[in-house]
């Protein structure tokens, strides 16, 4: 396959590029480096199968490929608040540009959507048929509503142009190459624990998340790119091991052997109270299952941060 990966220098995008090249596919990685980092793709730069293009996915572009994986977007609440307009543009205009590349080349399209389309869900776990509970004017709206738009635009291309597309709703994912300053809970807690600083739990820590290790996620994305039965489907990808944020803080302390305290800070506005994916579709259509334990995953991230100091 020849695959365009937008956002290919980002956290998940770079792991996807690694996997595609390892499988012998040609990869064009497009990134404007607004939250991506060239260090994430350094290991690929000499490969004849890999090409990096420094460009904004919201600008027009064309390239002959047979798969388009549209991952470009700021993805942490801290990043997308800081880059709210860029986030809306890359998920609206950028999705349009990426869909046009797919349409012009007869390529299959993969949209990296998000569990955030479910907002602060009123039912749990969340199946793909749940329509969501999103505040359209809150601080997370720039991401949630833009991803909802991206899903709607992708669906319109399927209906009008007969485009072959798969929409993946990606739940909380963690792993090496998360930025130290991206503000998400896993890098924050691990870096705080390693430094012996208090772990900052927002709210009372009873809100839940379900954390998927990046290798598992990339396996799911790879299968979605290569499985015919995935075409036309919306599929949750993540890990269904739900836990409270307070429990995560305790686990991080155990795994890093840290004596850090836990400190409580205000809960951000519209912070979802519960989040857990239903994974039946991923299991049935992709034959996929997350296999990396939370302990192993957190251990790998802690090691990576220690080996890659700021
Ligand atoms: N959180 C926290 N402390 C932090 C960072 C995040 O308690 O230092 C909480 C946050 O309020 C949310 C959860 O951890 O309830 C996951 O936050 P994250 O930003 O990682 O991702 P989200 O799922 O909210 O997009």
């Amino acid at each position: 396959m020849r695959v365009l990966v937008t956002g290919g220098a980002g956290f998940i995008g770079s792991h996807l590029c690694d996997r595609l090249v390892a499988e012998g596919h040609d990869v064009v990685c497009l990134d404007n480096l607004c939250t991506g980092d060239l260090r994430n793709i350094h290991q690929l730069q000499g490969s004849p199968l890999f090409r990096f293009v420094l460009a904004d996915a919201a600008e027009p572009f064309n390239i002959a490929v047979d798969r388009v994986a549209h991952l470009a977007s700021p993805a942490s609440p801290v990043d997308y608040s800081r880059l709210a307009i860029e986030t809306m543009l890359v998920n609206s205009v950028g999705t349009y540009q990426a869909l046009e590349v797919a349409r012009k080349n007869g390529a299959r399209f993969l949209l990296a959507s998000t569990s955030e389309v479910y907002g602060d869900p009123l039912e749990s776990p969340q199946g793909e048929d749940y329509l969501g509970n999103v505040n359209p004017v809150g601080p997370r709206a720039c991401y949630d509503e833009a991803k909802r738009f991206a899903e709607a635009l992708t669906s319109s291309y399927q209906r009008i142009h007969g485009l072959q597309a798969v929409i993946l709703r990606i739940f909380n994912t963690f792993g090496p190459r998360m930025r130290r300053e991206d503000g998400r809970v896993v890098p924050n807690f691990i870096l705080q624990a390693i430094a012996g600083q208090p772990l900052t739990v927002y709210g009372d820590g009873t809100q839940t998340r379900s954390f998927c290790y990046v290798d598992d996620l990339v396996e799911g994305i790879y299968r979605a790119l290569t499985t015919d039965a995935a075409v036309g489907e919306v599929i949750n990808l993540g890990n269904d091991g739900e836990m409270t944020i307070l429990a995560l803080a305790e686990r991080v302390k155990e795994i890093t052997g840290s004596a850090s305290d836990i400190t409580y800070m205000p809960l951000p506005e519209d912070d979802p109270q519960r989040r857990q994916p239903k994974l039946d579709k991923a299991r049935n259509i992709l034959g996929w299952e997350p296999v990396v334990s939370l302990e192993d995953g957190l251990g790998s991230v802690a090691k990576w941060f220690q080996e890659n100091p700021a």
Side-chain angles (χ1 to χ4, degrees):
M1 300 188 295
R2 187 147 199 261
V3 188
L4 169 65
V5 181
T6 73
F11 160 49
I12 295 174
S14 65
H15 286 281
L16 178 62
C17 290
D18 280 345
R19 175 65 190 274
L20 288 165
V21 168
E23 299 282 348
H25 301 294
D26 268 315
V27 174
V28 179
C29 163
L30 186 142
D31 205 300
N32 69 354
L33 302 178
C34 87
T35 56
D37 191 323
L38 285 178
R39 285 172 297 186
N40 292 340
I41 51 169
H42 174 74
Q43 69 290 354
L44 294 170
Q45 290 281 21
S47 167
L49 294 175
F50 183 79
R51 180 151 75 92
F52 173 67
V53 178
L54 178 63
D56 186 337
E59 298 295 329
F61 53 93
N62 195 14
I63 189 131
V65 286
D66 45 18
R67 294 285 188 282
V68 176
H70 183 42
L71 276 71
S73 177
S76 83
V78 168
D79 285 338
Y80 58 68
S81 302
R82 181 173 61 88
L83 299 166
I85 294 167
E86 290 86 345
T87 301
M88 296 213 73
L89 289 176
V90 77
N91 284 298
S92 55
V93 182
T95 301
Y96 166 69
Q97 302 295 4
L99 282 162
E100 278 293 292
V101 175
R103 184 185 65 78
K104 286 176 187 158
N105 292 283
R108 197 175 285 180
F109 183 80
L110 181 145
L111 177 68
S113 185
T114 169
S115 56
E116 286 280 331
V117 300
Y118 301 125
D120 188 3
L122 302 178
E123 58 181 62
S124 205
Q126 294 85 50
E128 291 86 349
D129 54 357
Y130 177 54
L131 300 182
N133 177 41
V134 173
N135 175 359
V137 293
R140 300 172 89 100
C142 59
Y143 187 67
D144 301 10
E145 295 292 12
K147 288 287 190 187
R148 290 172 69 94
F149 176 92
E151 290 200 10
L153 191 63
T154 302
S155 305
S156 299
Y157 266 70
Q158 288 178 286
R159 290 193 188 97
I160 290 177
H161 296 299
L163 188 92
Q164 296 207 328
V166 52
I167 294 172
L168 298 179
R169 293 187 180 145
I170 298 173
F171 283 63
N172 293 68
T173 300
F174 71 101
R177 302 184 191 157
M178 292 185 94
R179 285 175 22 258
R180 292 171 171 266
E181 66 284 8
D182 96 347
R184 279 184 279 193
V185 68
V186 169
N188 275 10
F189 282 0
I190 290 181
L191 290 167
Q192 290 159 347
I194 291 172
Q197 293 165 352
L199 273 58
T200 52
V201 169
Y202 301 162
D204 61 7
T206 58
Q207 72 272 31
T208 69
R209 295 292 187 274
S210 311
F211 295 97
C212 183
Y213 190 64
V214 66
D215 289 356
D216 281 338
L217 187 89
V218 165
E219 176 66 31
I221 298 176
Y222 186 75
R223 289 187 189 209
L225 280 171
T226 52
T227 303
D228 289 343
V231 171
E233 298 290 344
V234 178
I235 304 174
N236 287 338
L237 276 188
N239 190 304
D240 51 7
E242 184 184 23
M243 67 191 307
T244 67
I245 293 303
L246 193 54
L248 176 71
E250 298 291 357
R251 294 289 264 288
V252 168
K253 283 184 52 175
E254 278 162 33
I255 286 159
T256 54
S258 170
S260 290
D261 292 331
I262 288 177
T263 183
Y264 292 88
M265 296 177 69
L267 189 68
E269 195 182 337
D270 292 338
D271 198 283
Q273 188 57 33
R274 292 195 69 180
R275 187 181 285 155
Q276 183 189 28
K278 269 192 195 163
L279 296 177
D280 308 58
K281 286 189 77 177
R283 290 189 175 107
N284 294 335
I285 297 170
L286 306 177
W288 172 86
E289 186 79 42
V291 295
V292 179
S293 70
L294 185 71
E295 288 69 24
D296 287 351
L298 291 174
S300 300
V301 180
K303 185 164 173 280
W304 187 81
F305 277 133
Q306 278 163 326
E307 288 170 357
N308 294 274

